[in-house]
Amino acid sequence: MDWEKTRELIKELGEPAYRAEQLRKPVFEEGVSSYGEISTWPESLKEKMGKKSQILSLRLKEMTVSQDQRCRKAVLECRDGKMIETVLLRPSQARWTACISSQVGCAVGCPFCATGQMGIKRNLSAEEITDQALFWRQFMRQEKIAGRLSHVVYMGMGEPFSNYEQMSKSLKILMDQSLFNLAARHISVSTSGIAPKIEAFAEDFPQVNFALSLHAADDKLRDSLVPVNKAYPLAKIRESLKKYLQKSSRKIFLEYILLKGTNDRNEDAENLISFARSVGPLELLHVNLIVFNQTDSPFKATAEKDARAFQKKIMNAKIHSTIRQNLGRDIDGACGQLIFKQ
Ligand code: SAH
Ligand code: SF4
């Protein structure tokens, strides 16, 4: 729902402003999915609005649930027929997280990522980005799932910083207390490293969690794993991260997928440690080692014991580090597995 447009529409129908206000909580907080359910509205208005507009700009095409029920993936159709994917995760008993897409496809083309193989189709609008969270609020209400969608991560399809304007708009909507009402510290944005936008982000959203998909800490290797590195090499990224730390008091998450024989060697750990040291105080950095989810690519995941050994090297250098095993691998709902052939 584009809230401004909806408000305009209600006004055009000759209705007083409070009719729009009556929509806010049911739609954004409670996940009501049709105007017919707005109990404070007269029947005539429900009908008129139902004919003129729909609450959600996206339509469900397909839903899959992981065996452990902690991950659901939805394929959603945009108004122009383009398909995107969004995932609802339950990382712990009390937490519900939506992983949302910011573009249809992605231009960066990381060879280990399924989305990267699609190329870029188009940017998503702020409405399409936030409607993925709205979709999950509606879903939770319909399925009578107790709890509240409280966390959002921009880690679905696309590079959020290549769609900076609409991403910013969507963040403001998610944090707006009278709309989605999500806490800034419950939202995370991940980028492959569009350096100038890292600085803009620190300025614009210092309270929102920020993750950089590093994956390699020497330029030659990173050029091949995260091709945008050719435009914004590590020296540039380092400067942007330093500026980020000056402006924001939050930790930076360095994401690092462990790929067997590619970026998990001793020298790779050493490069990673030197890079972290060159960025800033180590207590402001956190290395998130990610278990690779198999995609249609020649890469293989690092074995668990080797991943632990790599982590140990990082921790011995006094850098915080965790290993992240993603949910939803059995339904291709995990990071990097989001693809929809169209
Ligand atoms: N484009 C942004 C955000 C979306 S990708 C970015 O790259 O940061 C979200 C996360 O999933 C990134 O850290 C990305 O590197 C990771 N990812 C991509 N492919 C993966 C795969 N096959 N296995 C595990 N993680 C993957
Ligand atoms: Fe794009 Fe991120 Fe996938 Fe790289 S990992 S291709 S930047 S979505």
Side-chain angles (χ1 to χ4, degrees), residues 106 110 112-114 154-160 190-192 211-213 215 255 257 290-295 324 326 335-337:
C106 182
C110 305
F112 51 80
C113 168
Y154 285 66
M155 295 189 186
M157 298 169 128
E159 169 46 57
S190 175
T191 181
S192 55
L212 171 79
S213 293
H215 309 320
E255 312 277 299
I257 302 176
I290 303 172
V291 178
F292 173 61
N293 299 313
Q294 197 57 54
T295 52
R324 190 173 82 201
N326 293 301
C335 295
Q337 292 183 313

Short mmCIF file of all heavy atoms in Angstrom, two decimals, residues 106 110 112-114 154-160 190-192 211-213 215 255 257 290-295 324 326 335-337, ligand 1:
data_model
loop_
_atom_site.label_atom_id
_atom_site.label_comp_id
_atom_site.label_asym_id
_atom_site.label_seq_id
_atom_site.Cartn_x
_atom_site.Cartn_y
_atom_site.Cartn_z
N CYS A 106 19.53 -8.93 -9.96
CA CYS A 106 20.63 -8.12 -9.42
C CYS A 106 21.71 -7.97 -10.48
O CYS A 106 22.03 -8.92 -11.18
CB CYS A 106 21.21 -8.80 -8.18
SG CYS A 106 22.54 -7.84 -7.41
N CYS A 110 27.36 -11.79 -8.51
CA CYS A 110 28.28 -12.66 -7.75
C CYS A 110 28.06 -14.10 -8.22
O CYS A 110 26.92 -14.57 -8.26
CB CYS A 110 27.99 -12.55 -6.25
SG CYS A 110 28.05 -10.85 -5.66
N PHE A 112 28.44 -16.99 -6.96
CA PHE A 112 27.93 -18.00 -6.02
C PHE A 112 26.45 -17.80 -5.69
O PHE A 112 25.85 -18.59 -4.99
CB PHE A 112 28.74 -17.95 -4.71
CG PHE A 112 28.83 -16.55 -4.15
CD1 PHE A 112 27.77 -16.01 -3.44
CD2 PHE A 112 29.95 -15.77 -4.38
CE1 PHE A 112 27.84 -14.72 -2.96
CE2 PHE A 112 30.03 -14.47 -3.90
CZ PHE A 112 28.96 -13.94 -3.19
N CYS A 113 25.88 -16.70 -6.20
CA CYS A 113 24.51 -16.31 -5.79
C CYS A 113 23.52 -16.55 -6.93
O CYS A 113 23.77 -16.12 -8.06
CB CYS A 113 24.52 -14.83 -5.39
SG CYS A 113 22.89 -14.11 -5.19
N ALA A 114 22.43 -17.21 -6.61
CA ALA A 114 21.44 -17.53 -7.64
C ALA A 114 20.84 -16.27 -8.26
O ALA A 114 20.66 -16.18 -9.47
CB ALA A 114 20.35 -18.41 -7.05
N TYR A 154 17.17 -6.71 4.64
CA TYR A 154 17.22 -6.50 3.18
C TYR A 154 18.27 -7.44 2.62
O TYR A 154 19.36 -7.03 2.25
CB TYR A 154 17.58 -5.05 2.88
CG TYR A 154 16.47 -4.04 3.11
CD1 TYR A 154 15.98 -3.79 4.38
CD2 TYR A 154 15.94 -3.31 2.04
CE1 TYR A 154 14.98 -2.85 4.59
CE2 TYR A 154 14.94 -2.36 2.25
CZ TYR A 154 14.46 -2.15 3.53
OH TYR A 154 13.47 -1.22 3.74
N MET A 155 17.93 -8.72 2.61
CA MET A 155 18.89 -9.73 2.17
C MET A 155 18.27 -10.70 1.18
O MET A 155 18.74 -11.82 0.99
CB MET A 155 19.46 -10.50 3.37
CG MET A 155 20.28 -9.63 4.29
SD MET A 155 21.14 -10.60 5.53
CE MET A 155 21.86 -9.32 6.54
N GLY A 156 17.18 -10.27 0.56
CA GLY A 156 16.57 -11.11 -0.48
C GLY A 156 17.23 -10.81 -1.81
O GLY A 156 18.44 -10.61 -1.89
N MET A 157 16.41 -10.75 -2.86
CA MET A 157 16.99 -10.47 -4.19
C MET A 157 17.41 -9.02 -4.30
O MET A 157 16.71 -8.12 -3.83
CB MET A 157 15.93 -10.70 -5.26
CG MET A 157 15.41 -12.10 -5.35
SD MET A 157 13.97 -12.05 -6.41
CE MET A 157 14.39 -13.30 -7.54
N GLY A 158 18.54 -8.80 -4.96
CA GLY A 158 18.90 -7.44 -5.34
C GLY A 158 19.92 -6.76 -4.44
O GLY A 158 20.23 -7.23 -3.35
N GLU A 159 20.45 -5.67 -4.96
CA GLU A 159 21.43 -4.87 -4.23
C GLU A 159 20.73 -3.59 -3.76
O GLU A 159 20.46 -2.69 -4.56
CB GLU A 159 22.61 -4.55 -5.18
CG GLU A 159 23.60 -3.53 -4.67
CD GLU A 159 24.03 -3.74 -3.23
OE1 GLU A 159 24.53 -4.81 -2.89
OE2 GLU A 159 23.83 -2.81 -2.42
N PRO A 160 20.41 -3.51 -2.47
CA PRO A 160 19.63 -2.36 -1.98
C PRO A 160 20.28 -1.00 -2.29
O PRO A 160 19.57 -0.05 -2.57
CB PRO A 160 19.54 -2.59 -0.47
CG PRO A 160 20.20 -3.87 -0.17
CD PRO A 160 20.69 -4.50 -1.43
N SER A 190 21.98 -5.11 3.90
CA SER A 190 23.23 -5.72 3.47
C SER A 190 23.59 -5.24 2.08
O SER A 190 22.74 -5.19 1.19
CB SER A 190 23.05 -7.25 3.46
OG SER A 190 24.19 -7.89 2.96
N THR A 191 24.85 -4.87 1.90
CA THR A 191 25.28 -4.42 0.57
C THR A 191 26.54 -5.16 0.13
O THR A 191 27.35 -5.57 0.95
CB THR A 191 25.57 -2.90 0.56
OG1 THR A 191 25.98 -2.52 -0.77
CG2 THR A 191 26.69 -2.51 1.51
N SER A 192 26.69 -5.24 -1.18
CA SER A 192 27.89 -5.85 -1.74
C SER A 192 29.03 -4.83 -1.77
O SER A 192 30.16 -5.20 -2.10
CB SER A 192 27.59 -6.36 -3.15
OG SER A 192 27.08 -5.31 -3.94
N ALA A 211 25.33 -4.30 7.10
CA ALA A 211 26.21 -5.44 6.82
C ALA A 211 26.88 -5.25 5.47
O ALA A 211 26.24 -4.83 4.50
CB ALA A 211 25.39 -6.74 6.81
N LEU A 212 28.15 -5.54 5.43
CA LEU A 212 28.88 -5.51 4.16
C LEU A 212 29.21 -6.95 3.76
O LEU A 212 29.79 -7.70 4.55
CB LEU A 212 30.19 -4.72 4.30
CG LEU A 212 31.09 -4.85 3.07
CD1 LEU A 212 30.61 -3.93 1.96
CD2 LEU A 212 32.54 -4.57 3.41
N SER A 213 28.82 -7.32 2.55
CA SER A 213 29.17 -8.65 2.04
C SER A 213 30.60 -8.61 1.54
O SER A 213 30.85 -8.22 0.41
CB SER A 213 28.21 -9.05 0.92
OG SER A 213 26.92 -9.21 1.44
N HIS A 215 33.33 -11.25 1.76
CA HIS A 215 33.64 -12.53 1.08
C HIS A 215 35.10 -12.73 0.66
O HIS A 215 35.50 -13.86 0.39
CB HIS A 215 32.74 -12.77 -0.13
CG HIS A 215 31.29 -12.61 0.15
ND1 HIS A 215 30.70 -13.07 1.31
CD2 HIS A 215 30.28 -12.03 -0.55
CE1 HIS A 215 29.42 -12.78 1.29
NE2 HIS A 215 29.14 -12.15 0.18
N GLU A 255 30.08 -9.78 6.29
CA GLU A 255 29.56 -11.10 5.91
C GLU A 255 30.62 -11.80 5.05
O GLU A 255 31.23 -11.17 4.16
CB GLU A 255 28.28 -10.95 5.07
CG GLU A 255 27.25 -10.01 5.65
CD GLU A 255 26.39 -10.65 6.71
OE1 GLU A 255 25.70 -11.62 6.38
OE2 GLU A 255 26.40 -10.17 7.86
N ILE A 257 31.03 -15.53 3.19
CA ILE A 257 30.61 -16.90 2.87
C ILE A 257 31.87 -17.75 2.73
O ILE A 257 32.78 -17.37 1.99
CB ILE A 257 29.89 -16.96 1.51
CG1 ILE A 257 28.67 -16.05 1.51
CG2 ILE A 257 29.47 -18.38 1.17
CD1 ILE A 257 27.97 -16.01 0.17
N ILE A 290 29.43 -17.27 6.86
CA ILE A 290 28.17 -17.84 6.38
C ILE A 290 28.43 -19.18 5.71
O ILE A 290 29.36 -19.32 4.90
CB ILE A 290 27.49 -16.89 5.37
CG1 ILE A 290 27.25 -15.52 6.02
CG2 ILE A 290 26.18 -17.47 4.86
CD1 ILE A 290 26.78 -14.46 5.06
N VAL A 291 27.62 -20.16 6.10
CA VAL A 291 27.73 -21.47 5.47
C VAL A 291 27.11 -21.35 4.07
O VAL A 291 25.97 -20.91 3.92
CB VAL A 291 26.98 -22.55 6.30
CG1 VAL A 291 27.05 -23.90 5.61
CG2 VAL A 291 27.55 -22.62 7.71
N PHE A 292 27.88 -21.69 3.07
CA PHE A 292 27.43 -21.56 1.68
C PHE A 292 26.23 -22.46 1.41
O PHE A 292 26.24 -23.64 1.73
CB PHE A 292 28.60 -21.94 0.75
CG PHE A 292 28.23 -22.02 -0.70
CD1 PHE A 292 27.76 -20.90 -1.38
CD2 PHE A 292 28.37 -23.21 -1.40
CE1 PHE A 292 27.44 -20.97 -2.73
CE2 PHE A 292 28.05 -23.28 -2.76
CZ PHE A 292 27.58 -22.16 -3.41
N ASN A 293 25.19 -21.88 0.82
CA ASN A 293 24.04 -22.67 0.38
C ASN A 293 24.26 -23.04 -1.08
O ASN A 293 24.49 -22.16 -1.90
CB ASN A 293 22.76 -21.85 0.50
CG ASN A 293 22.50 -21.43 1.93
OD1 ASN A 293 22.58 -22.23 2.84
ND2 ASN A 293 22.22 -20.16 2.11
N GLN A 294 24.14 -24.30 -1.36
CA GLN A 294 24.47 -24.75 -2.72
C GLN A 294 23.59 -24.07 -3.76
O GLN A 294 22.38 -23.97 -3.58
CB GLN A 294 24.30 -26.27 -2.80
CG GLN A 294 24.99 -26.88 -4.01
CD GLN A 294 26.50 -26.56 -4.04
OE1 GLN A 294 27.21 -26.82 -3.07
NE2 GLN A 294 26.98 -25.98 -5.12
N THR A 295 24.23 -23.56 -4.79
CA THR A 295 23.50 -23.00 -5.93
C THR A 295 24.06 -23.68 -7.17
O THR A 295 25.00 -24.47 -7.07
CB THR A 295 23.73 -21.48 -6.04
OG1 THR A 295 25.14 -21.22 -6.04
CG2 THR A 295 23.08 -20.72 -4.90
N ARG A 324 27.09 -18.48 10.64
CA ARG A 324 25.64 -18.46 10.43
C ARG A 324 25.22 -19.59 9.49
O ARG A 324 25.68 -19.67 8.37
CB ARG A 324 25.20 -17.12 9.86
CG ARG A 324 23.69 -16.95 9.85
CD ARG A 324 23.31 -15.55 9.45
NE ARG A 324 23.33 -15.40 8.00
CZ ARG A 324 23.45 -14.24 7.37
NH1 ARG A 324 23.58 -13.14 8.04
NH2 ARG A 324 23.42 -14.19 6.06
N ASN A 326 22.10 -20.81 7.60
CA ASN A 326 20.82 -20.23 7.22
C ASN A 326 19.68 -21.23 7.29
O ASN A 326 19.86 -22.41 7.07
CB ASN A 326 20.91 -19.64 5.82
CG ASN A 326 21.83 -18.45 5.81
OD1 ASN A 326 21.58 -17.49 6.52
ND2 ASN A 326 22.90 -18.53 5.05
N CYS A 335 19.70 -17.60 1.94
CA CYS A 335 20.42 -16.53 1.24
C CYS A 335 21.04 -17.03 -0.05
O CYS A 335 21.64 -18.10 -0.07
CB CYS A 335 21.57 -16.02 2.09
SG CYS A 335 21.05 -15.25 3.58
N GLY A 336 20.94 -16.25 -1.06
CA GLY A 336 21.61 -16.58 -2.31
C GLY A 336 20.89 -17.62 -3.14
O GLY A 336 21.31 -17.94 -4.24
N GLN A 337 19.82 -18.14 -2.60
CA GLN A 337 19.10 -19.17 -3.37
C GLN A 337 17.83 -18.61 -3.99
O GLN A 337 17.05 -19.34 -4.58
CB GLN A 337 18.76 -20.35 -2.46
CG GLN A 337 20.00 -21.11 -2.02
CD GLN A 337 19.65 -22.31 -1.18
OE1 GLN A 337 18.85 -22.23 -0.26
NE2 GLN A 337 20.23 -23.44 -1.49
N1 SAH B 1 22.95 -7.82 -2.51
C1 SAH B 1 23.15 -7.67 -1.13
C2 SAH B 1 21.98 -8.17 -0.30
C3 SAH B 1 21.36 -9.46 -0.72
S1 SAH B 1 22.33 -10.92 -0.61
C4 SAH B 1 24.43 -8.33 -0.69
O1 SAH B 1 25.03 -9.06 -1.47
O2 SAH B 1 24.85 -8.07 0.43
C5 SAH B 1 22.27 -11.28 1.11
C6 SAH B 1 23.38 -12.15 1.65
O3 SAH B 1 23.34 -13.47 1.12
C7 SAH B 1 24.75 -11.61 1.29
O4 SAH B 1 25.63 -11.57 2.39
C8 SAH B 1 25.18 -12.59 0.26
O5 SAH B 1 26.52 -12.57 0.08
C9 SAH B 1 24.63 -13.87 0.78
N2 SAH B 1 24.61 -14.99 -0.18
C10 SAH B 1 24.51 -14.90 -1.52
N3 SAH B 1 24.57 -16.12 -2.08
C11 SAH B 1 24.73 -17.01 -1.08
C12 SAH B 1 24.84 -18.43 -1.02
N4 SAH B 1 24.79 -19.17 -2.12
N5 SAH B 1 24.99 -19.00 0.19
C13 SAH B 1 25.01 -18.27 1.32
N6 SAH B 1 24.88 -16.93 1.33
C14 SAH B 1 24.74 -16.29 0.15
#
